[in-house]
Amino acid sequence: MPGFGWRWPLRFRHVPKNLKDQTIHIRVAGVDAPEGAYFGRPGQPHAEESLSWLRKRVEGKVIWCQLVRKDQYGRIVAVPVIPYRFIPLFLGRHWGSSLAVEMLRAGMVTTYEQSGAEYGPSNREEFLRWEAKARTARRGIWKYGMTGETPADYKKRHASSLSPADSSRKEGGS
């Protein structure tokens, strides 16, 4: 029997059977990707490129997610971390690469700055710094310069044209 104050150094978590081997859709905290086409609206330039980059980076990999909260549409907002290859998986959430920062460094997303933005262990300034470096280096969505509309501007522009039926469908998507 362990002495007073002693406890296990690791907490093992149980994965419910209904979630085991399932894909769980999350919203990556702190970043905003180009909007894809949906409900008859055109997608933004680079939306497919950004999604393709993300798929190549995460498919088939173990990813730790620190759950932050649910957003106004009921989506899970999380901070995904990809463990470094030489670190044991149980330590990956502490010694891993932030997927949001990787996406910003690759120039595939912008920093999410709307109300209720969450950045996890990083902060807004760090995210903006990585975005600025990608813009300067013209990586990803910035390869043709600073022209084009941000995902936030795109959403604002299309929000005024949403019908009530579209806005209720939107709550479950993207």
Side-chain angles (χ1 to χ4, degrees):
M1 184 85 171
F4 181 72
W6 185 90
R7 64 180 195 179
W8 287 98
L10 303 173
R11 279 187 9 203
F12 295 98
R13 289 184 171 57
H14 172 73
V15 177
K17 286 184 181 183
N18 63 338
L19 292 180
K20 187 156 178 62
D21 299 322
Q22 295 293 313
T23 299
I24 300 171
H25 297 274
I26 64 165
R27 185 182 195 306
V28 179
V31 296
D32 208 2
E35 293 290 312
Y38 60 92
F39 303 133
R41 291 196 172 76
Q44 282 189 276
H46 310 293
E48 289 299 320
E49 178 184 358
S50 181
L51 183 59
S52 174
W53 184 94
L54 178 63
R55 280 189 179 128
K56 285 178 188 171
R57 185 66 183 105
V58 301
E59 274 186 354
K61 298 209 169 91
V62 172
I63 298 175
W64 289 95
C65 289
Q66 175 190 1
L67 303 179
V68 177
R69 64 180 172 86
K70 282 191 173 186
D71 68 6
Q72 69 268 27
Y73 302 116
R75 298 173 297 191
I76 297 169
V77 179
V79 178
V81 175
I82 301 171
Y84 295 131
R85 292 178 70 182
F86 58 89
I87 300 292
L89 285 177
F90 69 87
L91 295 174
R93 65 184 175 162
H94 300 293
W95 290 297
S97 176
S98 165
L99 183 61
V101 171
E102 283 189 25
M103 294 175 79
L104 284 163
R105 289 171 66 185
M108 294 296 151
V109 295
T110 62
T111 302
Y112 186 77
E113 298 183 79
Q114 284 68 34
S115 65
E118 299 276 354
Y119 302 99
S122 303
N123 59 41
R124 181 175 172 263
E125 288 72 31
E126 181 183 347
F127 275 45
L128 290 171
R129 190 170 45 253
W130 284 117
E131 181 182 334
K133 286 181 181 182
R135 282 181 189 227
T136 303
R138 292 185 175 225
R139 287 190 293 261
I141 63 177
W142 311 113
K143 66 182 157 196
Y144 300 114
M146 307 290 257
T147 61
E149 104 187 297
T150 66
D153 293 338
Y154 177 89
K155 289 178 214 169
K156 285 177 194 170
R157 182 167 56 89
H158 284 287
S160 60
S161 64
L162 277 178
S163 70
D166 284 345
S167 58
S168 66
R169 281 188 284 172
K170 169 70 174 135
E171 290 178 2
S174 148

